[in-house]
Amino acid sequence: MCGIVGYVGPRSDDTALNVVMEGLTRLEYRGYDSAGVALVNGNGVEWEKRAGKLANLRNALDEAPLHASATAIGHTRWATHGGPTDLNAHPHLGGTTDKLAVVHNGIIENFHSLKAELLEAGVQFRSETDTEVAAQMLARAYDVTGDLYAAMTSVVNRLEGAFTLLAVHADAPDRVVAARRNSPLVVGLGEGENFLGSDVAAFIGYTRNAVELGQDQIVVITPDSVEITDFDGNPAQGKAYEVTWDAAAAEKGGYDTFMEKEIHDQPHAVGDTLLGRTAPDGSLLLDEMSISEDVLRQIDRITIIACGTSAYAGMVAKYAIEHWTRIPVEVALAHEFRYCDPIVNDRTLIVSISQSGETMDTLMAVRHARALGARTLSICNTHGSTIPRESDAVLYTHAGPEIAVASTKAFLAQITACYILGLYLAQLRGGSFAEDARTVMGQLAEMPEKIATLLGTMDRVKEIAGFMADTRSVLFLGRNVGYPVAMEGALKLKELAYIHAEGFAAGELKHGPIALIEPGQPVFIIVPGPDTPHDLHKKVVSNIQEIRARGARTIVIAEEGDTDVIPFADEVIWVPQAPPLLEPLLTVVPLQVFALYLSTAKGLDVDQPRNLAKSVTVE
Ligand code: M6R
């Protein structure tokens, strides 16, 4: 939550402000209830901040331009402490001379006691935020040390919780000093200029050379230097890497919204995640797997931890991994996992799934599992983010940057990565499915084209969404791997269209949810392909009849050629045929498209739905 940007460059013109505003534009998905910037120039520190979207800040800057500067910091906020007002927007100024400005991502958990101390000392606060406590402490420390870096080292050890802090001071106009604990911070290396950002999107238009800061590190950037220490002032190293995607990947590419673009990126997201995982003999390769084969052979339980859409990817994975490996798989919501006295030991493989690699609940669950002795593997889309860095192994998804708050392509890439993991374990551990791994990899390789074909047939889904702009409730039913797809379809609708939506296991219908069915109630039903074992296809077709008999409006997602559904469907959305376990890569697509267009039909903000932020970096 919250996006932060810092820049130090060579020239005293508009460079710094432009770079920071551009960075904030790219980071706005992280939080969008207020935004602000601070510049350092011959006038000292100048700032502007506004409640609401970045456009409000842009208008304010147009109306009252700031003076030229080579050094700037900026912030786009998702409010935690203090409502989304102009006063609570960042930057926050410390002291009475307004020479020091701070932006912050995270939550300073002990801010109440620190604030009480400062109030006692006569400090006057202008906002209700936890961040201002850090600003005031830094200003007081600066009065003693006369040095921004020294002030930062003396303050950070007193702060608890999660924070990335960026600070500038009028007396040190050539530098930004930053510190990080439990919140992300990446340095962008330029020539005669350097950058800071919550993620590389902040500066991808300028450089692909990045250095990821470690836990409890401070960095000082000037135009020509980047110096990193730990919180005690000892020299430290960040992790250097080159970003593999370019600025265009984080742009809309001709689509109206990032979400629409990202839905259309899905064939690539799946294809790229599969790339390089197969040896010439067809067997699976996992180069990034740094947990030894011996250890993996001993694993007797897998627990998948994740939140939101990523947890639904985990639920799909459970069906596939258990089927292929016969290892019991449990899926736990990360925020529940830590507090349920989990059964974890050194033969447990914890698989975390996170697009951002920053979700605080998931990170804390990974740490908890490690402390209990488990091996941890991260499935993640963001290189260099905290969760993979703190895990024993990582399997990166290659979906490219996902900007829309509602996850789409990351979901498909996560499911793909889970399949790869399951097949890899099956191959490694032998057993009846070891030989099938190659066949399934071959079937997976066909999926990108099928997704692309399906995306070409979404006009009717768009029309259905258009008719349903006034709908107040939508239900989703699925079975087996279709069950998490139903949950994901409902989540997309809640997030994007702000209407009541529930996903149920179709078998659960008669145990209660069928009471919700009344004439006209729209219900999406994800029908397993006719080849699905245990007659599941037939059972779900019966479910359609049961709800139709009670007046439901049935919108059926079925495999091409599945004529059994036609008599009971008000609408059929056809998807290409696929092996049963791989169906979610297709069946979720119409649900994403439906949510996108229902949100559009209601005139809502598709990419930045209310109250949400892309990365949930607070508990
Ligand atoms: O970055 P992560 O995958 O860890 O995020 C997890 C959830 O916060 C995320 O999937 C959320 O549910 C999305 N808004 C869903 O569209």
Side-chain angles (χ1 to χ4, degrees), residues 451-462:
I451 299 165
T453 306
L454 175 61
L455 282 167
T457 64
M458 289 292 100
D459 287 353
R460 182 63 190 152
V461 177
K462 189 173 174 179

Side-chain angles (χ1 to χ4, degrees), residues 306-311 353-359 362 387 405-408 414 488 491-492 495 612-616:
C307 301
T309 292
S310 300
I353 307 179
S354 175
Q355 187 287 129
S356 61
E358 283 177 29
T359 300
T362 310
I387 296 172
V405 165
S407 188
T408 54
Q414 288 167 340
E488 172 62 2
L491 176 62
K492 290 283 91 78
E495 283 185 294
L612 296 174
K614 182 73 180 159
S615 315
V616 183

Side-chain angles (χ1 to χ4, degrees), residues 172-249:
D174 67 337
R175 63 197 54 217
V176 179
V177 178
R180 99 159 266 262
R181 167 179 288 169
N182 292 335
S183 288
L185 182 61
V186 192
V187 183
L189 304 175
E191 289 188 9
E193 59 183 357
N194 286 305
F195 309 79
L196 293 166
S198 300
D199 70 47
V200 294
F203 48 74
I204 192 67
Y206 299 90
T207 179
R208 290 192 194 186
N209 296 321
V211 177
E212 168 209 330
L213 235 59
Q215 177 74 333
D216 286 3
Q217 291 186 342
I218 298 178
V219 62
V220 182
I221 62 163
T222 69
D224 306 307
S225 64
V226 172
E227 285 175 22
I228 303 174
T229 69
D230 64 19
F231 278 6
D232 296 323
N234 304 305
Q237 295 276 319
K239 191 171 159 207
Y241 64 102
E242 196 181 328
V243 184
T244 49
W245 47 272
D246 60 19

Side-chain angles (χ1 to χ4, degrees), residues 322-372:
E322 283 188 339
H323 180 70
W324 291 326
T325 67
R326 312 311 299 151
I327 305 171
V329 180
E330 178 200 0
V331 185
L333 291 169
H335 35 88
E336 289 294 320
F337 173 81
R338 263 203 300 160
Y339 307 110
C340 69
D341 199 7
I343 300 168
V344 168
N345 58 38
D346 62 359
R347 295 179 71 178
T348 310
L349 179 65
I350 295 287
V351 178
S352 67
I353 307 179
S354 175
Q355 187 287 129
S356 61
E358 283 177 29
T359 300
M360 184 59 75
D361 292 315
T362 310
L363 172 62
M364 291 303 173
V366 169
R367 285 185 184 163
H368 186 62
R370 286 196 81 170
L372 295 173

